Amino acid sequence: ARSAELRDWASRELHGYPGEAPLPDYRKIRTPLLMDGFTGGGIFRGRQVSVIDLPEEARDVVGDELPLTFGAGKIEALIRQSEARGVPIELAPPAAAELALMMTHEVGRYQVERVYWSAGTGVLCGVTDAIRTTLTELVAEIRAGTAGKDAAPSPEIVGQAVQFAVYGEGEPGHVRRGRPGRYRDHHARL
């Protein structure tokens, strides 16, 4: 079927989501935002950042929700790298250096060296699992909406399947699934 929506989704999953592209809920993971820095009394590493610690301008942009925009191959590479090193995956938010400077100037009691999200491999494995599951649900939805086994699905059927399987919008053809965000919510508890 000729479907720009399906091509776009597949391309984004393979190559990554650009800034303006809508991100599926399964790619928004809850993980702590941490900081490293020092005070007059010593160095600290991995201190959890509260929303209150963030400069007011950054509170709507950065928090404990990591938008995972990388392509599937890079996510799998991060998992392998983390497992080989035996450490969590650390990813910087946009403009992390500027954020660290702003936090240092606003708080004044300590120097923030870096700000980053820390995620375990189980959380990222949940994202790759969600990608595979979504693909399976897409195929099932498309097949359920196609008249005969040899008939090509219409672009409308494919578009509806993408909206339902990827974004949780619309009505299912014949496949039932949980609400959007189930992977994020499940893996946030791991």
Side-chain angles (χ1 to χ4, degrees), residues 92-137:
E98 291 82 1
L99 179 59
L101 281 172
M102 289 172 68
M103 290 172 70
T104 297
H105 290 294
E106 210 168 275
V107 174
R109 295 186 315 266
Y110 47 80
Q111 173 78 35
V112 178
E113 289 182 321
R114 71 182 188 122
V115 180
Y116 56 96
W117 285 292
S118 179
T121 57
V123 174
L124 270 65
C125 286
V127 173
T128 59
D129 181 53
I131 294 167
R132 286 188 290 273
T133 301
T134 300
L135 178 57
T136 302
E137 290 176 342

Side-chain angles (χ1 to χ4, degrees), residues 46-170:
R47 181 181 290 175
Q48 190 160 352
V49 177
S50 162
V51 174
I52 297 167
D53 294 327
L54 294 171
E56 197 167 323
E57 309 82 57
R59 291 179 185 169
D60 291 336
V61 181
V62 180
D64 64 352
E65 184 175 273
L66 165 60
L68 202 55
T69 58
F70 305 123
K74 180 157 183 172
I75 295 170
E76 289 175 336
L78 287 169
I79 293 167
R80 285 190 302 274
Q81 182 182 37
S82 175
E83 288 174 340
R85 291 182 177 172
V87 296
I89 298 158
E90 296 178 351
L91 300 169
E98 291 82 1
L99 179 59
L101 281 172
M102 289 172 68
M103 290 172 70
T104 297
H105 290 294
E106 210 168 275
V107 174
R109 295 186 315 266
Y110 47 80
Q111 173 78 35
V112 178
E113 289 182 321
R114 71 182 188 122
V115 180
Y116 56 96
W117 285 292
S118 179
T121 57
V123 174
L124 270 65
C125 286
V127 173
T128 59
D129 181 53
I131 294 167
R132 286 188 290 273
T133 301
T134 300
L135 178 57
T136 302
E137 290 176 342
L138 265 169
V139 170
E141 284 294 321
I142 291 169
R143 288 183 57 107
T146 305
K149 76 174 195 178
D150 294 329
S154 70
E156 293 79 26
I157 292 293
V158 176
Q160 289 172 3
V162 170
Q163 287 303 309
F164 177 72
V166 176
Y167 301 106
E169 297 173 2

